[in-house]
Amino acid sequence: MRAKIRFLIASSVLLFVLSVGWEDRLASPPPVRFAKMYLYDQTLYVSELTRGVRQLDISVPQSPVDRGLITIQGNHDMALQTTGDGRRILYADSYADLVVLDVSNPSTPLTVDTLRNIFGQAFTMRWGDDVFLREWEGAQVRRVGGMEGCMGCSETSVYEPISGPDIVALDGGTRGSTTGRGGSMARFTIVDNSLYCVDYNQLYVFDIEDPTKPRFVNRVHIGWGIETIFPYNDYLFIGGQNGMYIYSKTDPRNPRFISTYEHVRACDPVVVEGSLAYVTLRGGTRCGTVVSALHILDVADLFKPKLLKSHPLPQPIGLDVRNKIAYVCDDSAGVYILDTNNLNDIRELARITDKRGYDTILHNDVLIVVSPDAVSFYNASQPSAPVLLGRFQLPA
């Protein structure tokens, strides 16, 4: 009897300790890590998940220079547009809000507007990123401009900045405005005078003719499990857990559905080159299945995309393509460099294994690879023999 009592007491203590440990783990903030990136000129903007955006001067990739962190709590993604007089305007999510910042001077970023509660659903779904929602609960974040709530936003909704001691209202200007490019994992993209953002099932359209004063103009329902957006010519290629969706942006404010390429449930970024779309499918617990592969699609007829080749890979994520050479990040193996010129004989030219790969951009001959704890730069002028040039480690 005593043995049974001792056993019950010991079991109760063990269960208590385990439950406390579990609660502590849930309550603790998630580790900060690098995620989405956006390249403009010689500056790389990299999201440090939920903490802000790191600015890196990569004019000398052998020695990337830290230009400082733009503190944006609850941040996951960003895009950048310039005004006619060359000022840099950054659009970034902060919890459920869209914040607009002048980042012309990296050391003194200025908030010029905020569109409140635009991304309510995206915030709830954590933008599909694997971070604890609990960190956001009860967060108090100072906001500038905009209006409280946006459930009734319409084409005529205009958001003006509010003057204040640390707020600068900028004059707009689109003549000569330019933009950069995001990686394949991006949920934000800019084409001409439109900012497009996707959440779990919707596409948001903002008019940024005046880059400092974005106007919310439309919300388009796509499906569910939406993850990425990639612009190419007059179309938006949207990656989701069930397939790739193609929308025409001939009317920038009202993207029109063209077609869908459906696949088994899996995480799914996409990039396009010529008449080919490259789609990575990643299986796993969150993504749904055990299928992990690079799919290459014929999109010459946008109304009837068709699968040409499925090339198995361990855990592919972000990717970039140039001249049918695919640079595919892999969560378990680094980066695969694949020659896809002959779809019947896809050849592995090289593999980068010193860091896990999350997303990549090939800029000139420099391959930029974002990993959870670092941004690495490789000379990829010879795809079969990439050479590490430099690396920036995630600050503590």
Side-chain angles (χ1 to χ4, degrees):
M1 185 66 177
R2 290 181 178 178
K4 185 176 181 179
I5 292 174
R6 284 196 297 268
F7 173 77
L8 290 174
I9 292 174
S11 299
S12 299
V13 171
L14 178 61
L15 288 173
F16 174 77
V17 170
L18 289 175
S19 65
V20 170
W22 177 255
E23 289 300 321
D24 283 346
R25 186 180 71 84
L26 285 178
S28 61
V32 175
R33 69 175 188 272
F34 283 137
K36 310 301 175 67
M37 63 175 161
Y38 199 91
L39 176 65
Y40 177 77
D41 195 18
Q42 298 297 320
T43 303
L44 185 69
Y45 300 88
V46 189
S47 173
E48 295 182 14
L49 271 183
T50 74
R51 184 162 70 180
V53 176
R54 182 69 56 178
Q55 306 169 94
L56 300 179
D57 180 341
I58 62 169
S59 54
V60 181
Q62 292 85 348
S63 303
V65 178
D66 183 7
R67 295 302 186 191
L69 177 71
I70 306 171
T71 301
I72 309 173
Q73 296 180 25
N75 173 254
H76 289 72
D77 217 328
M78 82 297 297
L80 186 141
Q81 178 80 303
T82 64
T83 62
D85 56 3
R87 288 169 295 177
R88 299 185 181 190
I89 305 301
L90 186 74
Y91 309 95
D93 65 292
S94 176
Y95 300 99
D97 299 344
L98 176 69
V99 293
V100 186
L101 304 102
D102 178 1
V103 296
S104 306
N105 186 339
S107 61
T108 57
L110 300 170
T111 304
V112 296
D113 202 3
T114 302
L115 277 63
R116 299 176 186 268
N117 201 31
I118 289 285
F119 304 123
Q121 178 168 289
F123 161 62
T124 303
M125 296 301 298
R126 299 171 294 166
W127 292 96
D129 292 309
D130 187 18
V131 295
F132 290 123
L133 184 61
R134 181 173 298 194
E135 183 192 22
W136 301 351
E137 294 176 355
Q140 298 296 319
V141 184
R142 187 169 181 271
R143 290 291 176 263
V144 179
M147 62 178 288
E148 194 68 45
C150 195
M151 298 307 293
C153 289
S154 68
E155 187 174 316
T156 59
S157 298
V158 180
Y159 304 87
E160 301 288 350
I162 296 176
S163 298
D166 60 346
I167 304 163
V168 177
L170 303 179
D171 295 327
T174 60
R175 196 173 302 169
S177 62
T178 58
T179 185
R181 61 168 296 198
S184 65
M185 299 297 290
R187 287 181 178 268
F188 282 36
T189 193
I190 293 175
V191 184
D192 299 325
N193 292 323
S194 297
L195 167 67
Y196 299 99
C197 309
V198 292
D199 69 6
Y200 194 71
N201 61 14
Q202 298 180 107
L203 169 65
Y204 300 79
V205 184
F206 301 88
D207 182 337
I208 55 172
E209 184 174 0
D210 180 343
T212 67
K213 300 177 183 179
R215 280 196 308 150
F216 172 82
V217 295
N218 200 3
R219 182 185 288 114
V220 179
H221 181 80
I222 301 173
W224 66 271
I226 304 306
E227 297 183 323
T228 62
I229 184 169
F230 184 87
Y232 192 78
N233 293 335
D234 291 327
Y235 300 92
L236 299 172
F237 292 80
I238 297 171
Q241 292 180 13
N242 274 356
M244 178 190 72
Y245 304 80
I246 303 174
Y247 277 76
S248 169
K249 59 178 182 61
T250 304
D251 181 352
R253 292 186 173 190
N254 298 285
R256 179 173 59 90
F257 174 76
I258 299 295
S259 63
T260 302
Y261 162 70
E262 295 184 353
H263 55 61
V264 296
R265 187 183 174 199
C267 295
D268 173 16
V270 54
V271 300
V272 181
E273 183 185 53
S275 62
L276 299 179
Y278 293 74
V279 180
T280 59
L281 279 66
R282 185 173 80 261
T285 302
R286 185 177 72 83
C287 301
T289 70
V290 296
V291 175
S292 292
L294 171 66
H295 280 193
I296 302 175
L297 313 177
D298 181 354
V299 292
D301 183 348
L302 291 169
F303 290 93
K304 297 179 180 179
K306 61 182 180 180
L307 177 65
L308 297 177
K309 183 68 175 180
S310 177
H311 183 75
L313 290 171
Q315 284 285 292
I317 313 182
L319 72 161
D320 203 356
V321 178
R322 181 189 294 175
N323 299 326
K324 297 186 178 180
I325 304 298
Y327 302 82
V328 185
C329 291
D330 193 282
D331 193 40
S332 63
V335 181
Y336 286 88
I337 302 178
L338 305 173
D339 184 344
T340 69
N341 280 277
N342 182 355
L343 295 182
N344 294 319
D345 182 26
I346 293 180
R347 295 185 299 117
E348 181 180 319
L349 299 179
R351 191 185 308 179
I352 299 171
T353 60
D354 53 341
K355 285 286 184 183
R356 293 165 54 196
Y358 174 75
D359 202 4
T360 185
I361 290 177
L362 182 61
H363 177 58
N364 296 326
D365 286 328
V366 176
L367 186 68
I368 306 169
V369 179
V370 170
S371 304
D373 65 343
V375 182
S376 304
F377 305 87
Y378 299 88
N379 183 339
S381 57
Q382 297 184 35
S384 60
V387 177
L388 177 66
L389 297 173
R391 176 169 289 151
F392 179 82
Q393 289 292 144
L394 178 72

